């Protein structure tokens, strides 16, 4: 059966509920790894810890150092009504947030946190469902307050409340720069020991930052995916990282992106004339089939939601039919899906 690669419908698949991972593999690198050859479509099952066998000396492994904010806050209106806030990103002296129930929260309303003196005021509506611009009042250190009172914003499909251990489990071992509302999940499979093993093999590890926004997980709404507009996400790549990447290109060593966030950043900063350029900014690049990749050679990624921009990015890189077949194989072989699930290496 022929599929229209620009039709959202083509990116649907049925996933048994029991294959949605509620908890990560323990240890992290014990997760399964589906190795997909994008040129032949062949695939096989490995253990994630064996990823080192697919990397050669002087290859470059690119990781995202973003750190997840414990962005889910529970408070109350003065009436006693319970309110939930999901912080999205800092905007000047304010924060952008999603609020529930949104219909009860108008400009000027206050949200109280009985266990502290801090309150939140609604400043304005935002042009997204449930979106509000908010300010913290009587709060000397906002990040400290968020760290103390916030919960890890596990995606709703995990189907459970965040637990104490998720504060560690839902961060990569190399997480450093606060700013994400979701983990760059391909990176969750690495342990410090595995990173050390990869480095000892002579693989160069490059770090960048892309802060993951909530839009990453929202399904594409347009029936023709070419009409979809991506949300903006902050990224940065420094001079040392750019130089290492350019050297790898020159020497024809593989550039291996750990996750779709890294792919989007590298494809944003790559310039045909100058190569990789050190820069920071916001990217809204949407990668779907037909896109010509210039920056990367291989990709490590998790198994993504149906009709998501992330699935479309992977099909753009590996080929539509190859990815659909690989996902069918993964389902038949009981791979675990989504944020806490297993991984795929596309080479």
């Amino acid at each position: 059966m022929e599929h229209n690669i620009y039709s959202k419908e083509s990116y649907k698949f049925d996933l048994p509920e029991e294959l949605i991972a509620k908890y990560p593999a323990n240890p992290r690198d014990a997760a399964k790894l589906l190795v997909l050859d994008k040129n032949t479509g062949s695939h096989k099952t490995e253990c994630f810890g064996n990823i080192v066998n697919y990397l050669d000396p002087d290859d470059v492994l690119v990781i995202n150092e973003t750190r997840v904010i414990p962005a889910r806050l529970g408070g109350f209106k003065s009436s006693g009504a319970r309110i939930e806030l999901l912080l999205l990103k800092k905007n000047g002296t304010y924060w952008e947030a999603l609020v529930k129930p949104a219909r009860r929260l108008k400009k000027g309303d206050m949200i109280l946190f009985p266990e502290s003196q801090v309150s939140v005021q609604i400043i304005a509506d935002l042009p997204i469902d449930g979106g509000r611009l908010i300010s913290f009042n009587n709060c000397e250190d906002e990040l400290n307050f968020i760290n103390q009172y916030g919960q890890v914003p596990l995606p709703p499909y995990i189907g459970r409340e965040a637990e104490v251990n998720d504060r560690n489990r839902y961060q990569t071992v190399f997480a450093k720069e606060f700013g994400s509302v979701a983990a760059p999940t391909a990176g969750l499979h690495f342990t410090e020991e595995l990173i050390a093993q990869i480095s000892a093999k002579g693989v160069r590890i490059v770090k960048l930052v892309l802060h993951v926004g909530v839009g990453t997980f929202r399904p594409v709404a347009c029936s023709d995916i070419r009409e979809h507009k991506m949300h903006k996400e902050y990224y940065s790549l420094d001079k040392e990282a750019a130089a290492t990447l350019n050297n790898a290109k020159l020497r024809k060593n593989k550039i291996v992106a750990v996750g779709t966030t890294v792919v989007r950043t590298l494809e944003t900063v790559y310039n045909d004339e100058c190569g990789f350029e050190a820069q920071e900014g916001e990217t809204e690049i949407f990668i779907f089939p037909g896109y010509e990749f210039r920056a990367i050679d291989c990709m490590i990624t998790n198994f993504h939601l149906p009709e998501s921009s992330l699935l479309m990015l992977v099909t753009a890189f590996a080929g539509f039919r190859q990815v659909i077949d690989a996902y069918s194989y993964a389902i038949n072989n009981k791979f675990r899906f989504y944020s806490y699930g297993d991984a795929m290496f596309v080479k």
Side-chain angles (χ1 to χ4, degrees):
M1 176 182 170
E2 284 295 315
H3 288 273
N4 176 0
I5 59 171
Y6 302 124
S7 169
K8 181 182 73 167
E9 291 281 318
S10 296
Y11 298 88
K12 276 186 175 177
F13 61 87
D14 294 321
L15 183 71
E17 182 76 21
E18 65 269 19
L19 295 187
I20 299 174
K22 303 220 178 274
Y23 293 91
N26 186 21
R28 293 169 181 256
D29 59 357
K32 284 184 184 178
L33 179 69
L34 190 154
V35 179
L36 172 64
D37 186 320
K38 66 181 178 359
N39 297 312
T40 66
S42 66
H43 44 256
K44 64 177 179 177
T45 301
E46 280 269 20
C47 171
F48 189 86
N50 293 336
I51 190 72
V52 66
N53 298 332
Y54 294 90
L55 304 173
D56 298 314
D58 293 322
D59 283 350
V60 177
L61 185 76
V62 190
I63 59 177
N64 184 0
E65 283 192 306
T66 191
R67 190 169 186 84
V68 180
I69 305 167
R72 201 178 297 281
L73 291 167
F76 297 88
K77 287 186 72 174
S78 56
S79 65
R82 181 164 177 78
I83 302 297
E84 185 179 278
L85 291 170
L86 178 65
L87 303 174
L88 300 181
K89 66 177 180 180
K90 185 92 169 167
N91 185 342
T93 58
Y94 302 124
W95 284 80
E96 295 179 13
L98 296 179
V99 299
K100 263 199 313 194
R103 59 188 169 76
R104 294 193 180 186
L105 292 165
K106 311 264 189 306
K107 181 178 177 180
D109 284 350
M110 303 294 289
I111 301 166
L112 310 174
F113 302 92
E115 65 271 32
S116 80
Q117 301 300 309
V118 173
S119 62
V120 159
Q121 184 173 14
I122 305 296
I123 303 300
D125 289 356
L126 293 174
I128 53 174
D129 287 346
R132 299 290 188 273
L133 193 66
I134 66 168
S135 69
F136 283 90
N137 298 329
N138 199 30
C139 187
E140 289 183 10
D141 188 333
E142 291 174 358
L143 270 182
N144 185 56
F145 173 78
I146 293 163
N147 270 326
Q148 187 173 354
Y149 293 103
Q151 277 196 321
V152 175
L154 291 183
Y157 50 71
I158 286 182
R160 63 174 176 82
E161 291 294 314
E163 301 168 2
V164 173
N165 287 344
D166 289 307
R167 286 216 164 207
N168 175 55
R169 293 186 298 216
Y170 198 59
Q171 301 281 13
T172 63
V173 296
F174 35 78
K176 185 177 174 185
E177 305 286 341
F178 270 109
S180 280
V181 297
T185 56
L188 293 178
H189 304 290
F190 288 88
T191 63
E192 290 173 354
E193 293 78 14
L194 182 57
I195 290 282
Q197 192 180 353
I198 289 167
S199 294
K201 191 171 182 177
V203 175
R204 300 175 188 277
I205 295 177
V206 159
K207 302 166 184 177
L208 55 75
V209 170
L210 181 134
H211 291 323
V212 186
V214 73
T216 294
F217 297 103
R218 291 192 160 166
V220 170
C222 314
S223 56
D224 184 332
I225 67 171
R226 290 171 291 188
E227 297 172 7
H228 177 65
K229 300 292 183 207
M230 289 290 285
H231 56 292
K232 291 181 179 178
E233 292 172 318
Y234 169 85
Y235 70 87
S236 66
L237 181 82
D238 66 27
K239 287 182 178 179
E240 184 182 352
T244 302
L245 289 163
N246 284 325
N247 190 48
K249 274 283 185 199
L250 194 65
R251 296 174 179 272
K252 299 192 178 340
N253 300 120
K254 297 194 300 290
I255 294 174
V256 181
V258 178
T260 57
T261 61
V262 170
V263 174
R264 292 180 66 235
T265 304
L266 293 181
E267 292 295 328
T268 296
V269 303
Y270 188 80
N271 180 296
D272 284 331
E273 293 178 8
C274 309
F276 293 97
E277 294 186 288
Q279 57 182 268
E280 66 175 330
E282 289 187 316
T283 182
E284 52 188 336
I285 187 172
F286 176 34
I287 298 175
F288 57 89
Y291 179 86
E292 189 174 329
F293 287 83
R294 301 165 302 154
I296 69 164
D297 300 293
C298 304
M299 180 198 314
I300 299 168
T301 187
N302 276 26
F303 293 94
H304 302 295
L305 276 73
E307 300 183 336
S308 65
S309 64
L310 307 183
L311 177 57
M312 293 163 192
L313 183 154
V314 177
T315 60
F317 184 67
F320 181 86
R321 175 45 56 196
Q322 288 93 315
V323 172
I324 297 303
D325 288 348
Y327 269 52
S328 294
Y329 172 87
I331 290 168
N332 291 335
N333 287 273
K334 308 296 185 194
F335 275 67
R336 300 160 74 247
F337 275 60
Y338 306 160
S339 295
Y340 273 153
D342 297 316
M344 181 161 69
F345 177 59
V346 184
K347 64 186 183 76

